[in-house]
Amino acid sequence: MPGLEPDLAATLSADYAAATLDVDFASTVDSTADRLADTAEVVVTSGRIGFDMRLLEAFPRVGAIISYGAGYDTIDAVDAAARGVVVSNTPDVGECVADAAVGLAIDAMRGLSAADRSIRRGEWTTAIPIRVGRRLSGCRVGIVGLGRIGHAVARRLTAFGCEISYHNRRQLADSPFRYHSSVQSLASSVDLLILTATGGTADGPLVGPEELAALGPRGFLVNVGRGSLVDENSLVKSLHSGSIGGAALDVFATEPDVPAGLLNADNVVLAPHLGSTTEETLTAMSRSVLGNLESFLSGRGLISPVPESLRTREVDRTGTINRGGPSTDPIPDDTRWPRP
């Protein structure tokens, strides 16, 4: 149960006799893992820690991986599906992540954090702002990943009078927003590019030198999706050269490590992956984990399987469960979380 909120880990331990693996188990399978290898049927992990193919092979009886968080690019979901192992995440984090995305966008475009640092350094010597910002309201916004979080961002920015466009793997038939078939095309047509997708592609980051060049010196980038979506070396060069206007990042490629070139750039806002870190969202995520766990163990399948797992149709070891699910049951409101 690495990387979980402490109260959730305690509940799993108390109610399900769950064992806790060393937080570094992703690189070294510890003695606890050796002891559980032939008995563990479900793994609860987090998007930060993940669960790779090597660990899947070390736990041959595992039938489900339940991830605490929306992102799951640290879990080999495709390989897991090939082995008949289903994966779930906690996708209902959209509202708070969307709030964070809008806040980060305003900060980056108006230079609020940079202004705060300037005042603390004693540099406010005139009534003229040190940096003239850009207005968010009415600007052109491109969203990469128009899923739950992307739609929540779009709702908020529509209220700001923004013109919304998007890029997805596939065009959404019922979307009122303009679709672009590539990130580069989208970036070239907007003032603000917001990344809300939950992972990159096998071909590498979605935002690299070409996309940043398309965004241009008056364009801004916000990433609340996954760090793997952005080529960080190219971003550093773009920020320092002024070839993009600025950025705001809540996620990084190798968290918690942040490139030095980002730390010493004054035109980027940095946050420690806190987009979903509110009391309300953490409670909902914990409830989702417990709901998925209870549903799977009772033979109904996962409540919120990731898309790769929807293609899994292996019959459970008992011969009765179609692991691919999903369960038709919603995450129950009466799941006892938080504990009294």
Side-chain angles (χ1 to χ4, degrees), residues 149-192:
I149 297 173
H151 274 105
V153 171
R155 288 197 306 273
R156 285 157 174 75
L157 293 181
T158 297
F160 275 78
C162 296
E163 177 186 320
I164 309 295
S165 303
Y166 75 99
H167 167 75
N168 270 13
R169 292 189 183 96
R170 291 173 295 276
Q171 184 172 2
L172 302 177
D174 57 350
S175 175
F177 307 123
R178 182 182 177 187
Y179 174 74
H180 287 259
S181 60
S182 72
V183 177
Q184 185 174 355
S185 170
L186 179 64
S188 68
S189 69
V190 299
D191 307 299
L192 170 64

Side-chain angles (χ1 to χ4, degrees), residues 196-326:
T196 62
T198 55
T201 69
D203 297 326
L206 293 177
V207 176
E210 295 81 8
E211 290 76 19
L212 292 169
L215 191 56
R218 290 179 58 80
F220 292 82
L221 174 71
V222 171
N223 189 5
V224 293
R226 307 303 291 175
S228 58
L229 295 172
V230 177
D231 178 342
E232 289 182 339
N233 290 330
S234 296
L235 178 59
V236 167
K237 292 177 182 177
S238 296
L239 288 166
H240 282 272
S241 68
S243 57
I244 68 168
L249 311 172
D250 186 45
V251 288
F252 304 88
T254 56
E255 296 177 3
D257 299 324
V258 178
L262 293 176
L263 294 173
N264 60 27
D266 208 40
N267 56 345
V268 59
V269 180
L270 307 174
H273 204 150
L274 49 68
S276 62
T277 309
T278 65
E279 292 181 8
E280 295 83 358
T281 293
L282 294 181
T283 295
M285 288 167 58
S286 295
R287 183 181 294 118
S288 179
V289 166
L290 295 174
N292 272 291
L293 178 60
E294 189 62 35
S295 181
F296 182 82
L297 292 177
S298 63
R300 299 192 305 273
L302 296 174
I303 294 171
S304 57
V306 302
E308 294 86 346
S309 293
L310 292 174
R311 295 189 287 271
T312 302
R313 291 292 181 264
E314 179 177 308
V315 174
D316 187 74
R317 301 179 213 287
T318 64
T320 60
I321 301 173
N322 181 336
R323 285 184 184 159

